[in-house]
Amino acid sequence: GQQLNQSPQSMFIQEGEDVSMNCTSSSIFNTWLWYKQDPGEGPVLLIALYKAGELTSNGRLTAQFGITRKDSFLNISASIPSDVGIYFCAGLNYGGSQGNLIFGKGTKLSVKP
Amino acid sequence: GAVVSQHPSRVICKSGTSVKIECRSLDFQATTMFWYRQFPKQSLMLMATSNEGSKATYEQGVEKDKFLINHASLTLSTLTVTSAHPEDSSFYICSATSLGADEQYFGPGTRLTVT
């Protein structure tokens, strides 16, 4: 089945540093979504990407939908302690009448003050 | 953004009993709701997809008679774990989307512990 390879699995960075994570797949996706999940909570949507090549920002977050439609990256600039959490990429394809999300395995981000 | 709620947030039940989890879209009509389960330190695994007014579509390996899903209105879907066993202990998360939209908005999750 379809799979997303998300890397890195975990990151330990100093406050103020920039962060980059990415997802790749052997399959093409129509939409890429990036979520953040705090412990014991549901994922919160950060950025949605709809077109190949699209670059979208949300505050300190920037994400891009790869030209091949098989990859996406998320950058966080000037990290702060509240950025700590697990970041998931998710690809959306349409099978039948509705779309199903395929999730990456997550990137756990730790920020040292 | 769109708000999705889940109730309860935590539940502990005895083995053999049934537990119902509710998922509500608070400020939009959810034509489709999804149910996921998440084990510790793992990603979300889709269990089933439900469209309002029709039967849920279950993913391979998910027992439809054990995980009963009802999506009776555009703002409410329920997941009932029947005859729960300790291995059903997990974090259950719902998400909702509206017609024509790609984004799924997630509820805060329900932590189920079966003793």
Side-chain angles (χ1 to χ4, degrees):
Chain A
Q2 293 176 312
Q3 287 187 330
L4 291 185
N5 300 308
Q6 186 172 348
S7 65
Q9 271 190 318
S10 61
M11 302 181 75
F12 297 85
I13 62 168
Q14 198 76 30
E15 182 177 0
E17 290 184 353
D18 296 342
V19 171
S20 185
M21 59 192 78
N22 69 84
C23 274
T24 60
S25 174
S26 57
S27 304
I28 290 174
F29 288 98
N30 298 318
T31 299
W32 283 91
L33 305 171
W34 283 92
Y35 289 90
K36 182 190 177 200
Q37 185 177 27
D38 291 325
E41 300 287 335
V44 174
L45 181 64
L46 299 174
I47 292 181
L49 302 158
Y50 304 104
K51 287 166 52 177
E54 179 181 357
L55 183 72
T56 297
S57 293
N58 177 9
R60 294 178 295 107
L61 277 60
T62 302
Q64 184 158 32
F65 191 152
I67 288 289
T68 64
R69 294 167 62 195
K70 293 182 179 181
D71 63 313
S72 176
F73 72 74
L74 174 71
N75 286 344
I76 304 173
S77 63
S79 59
I80 58 178
S82 62
D83 290 335
V84 165
I86 301 178
Y87 292 80
F88 289 101
C89 62
L92 181 68
N93 253 344
Y94 285 92
S97 59
Q98 62 237 344
N100 290 334
L101 282 182
I102 309 295
F103 278 88
K105 294 192 174 181
T107 296
K108 184 176 181 180
L109 179 63
S110 301
V111 179
K112 191 175 178 182
Chain B
V3 180
V4 176
S5 71
Q6 266 183 257
H7 178 79
S9 57
R10 286 177 187 274
V11 57
I12 300 173
C13 71
K14 292 191 175 179
S15 192
T17 61
S18 295
V19 173
K20 181 186 282 189
I21 303 169
E22 292 185 349
C23 177
R24 294 181 186 272
S25 57
L26 298 185
D27 54 359
F28 68 102
Q29 292 187 327
T31 48
T32 305
M33 285 185 166
F34 304 84
W35 286 96
Y36 296 81
R37 65 189 297 182
Q38 186 178 32
F39 291 107
K41 299 184 181 180
Q42 293 191 23
S43 189
L44 288 78
M45 297 300 296
L46 180 65
M47 297 174 65
T49 302
S50 76
N51 291 302
E52 185 264 338
S54 58
K55 287 185 179 180
T57 303
Y58 289 81
E59 294 300 297
Q60 195 171 13
V62 178
E63 299 174 59
K64 60 180 67 175
D65 294 330
K66 180 169 184 61
F67 298 100
L68 302 179
I69 291 171
N70 184 283
H71 191 168
S73 79
L74 284 171
T75 58
L76 174 64
S77 175
T78 61
L79 167 69
T80 302
V81 183
T82 62
S83 187
H85 288 283
E87 58 264 32
D88 297 325
S89 299
S90 187
F91 193 51
Y92 291 87
I93 310 174
C94 71
S95 71
T97 188
S98 54
L99 187 66
D102 284 348
E103 305 93 335
Q104 287 183 27
Y105 293 93
F106 285 82
T110 296
R111 171 75 59 195
L112 170 64
T113 303
V114 184
T115 60

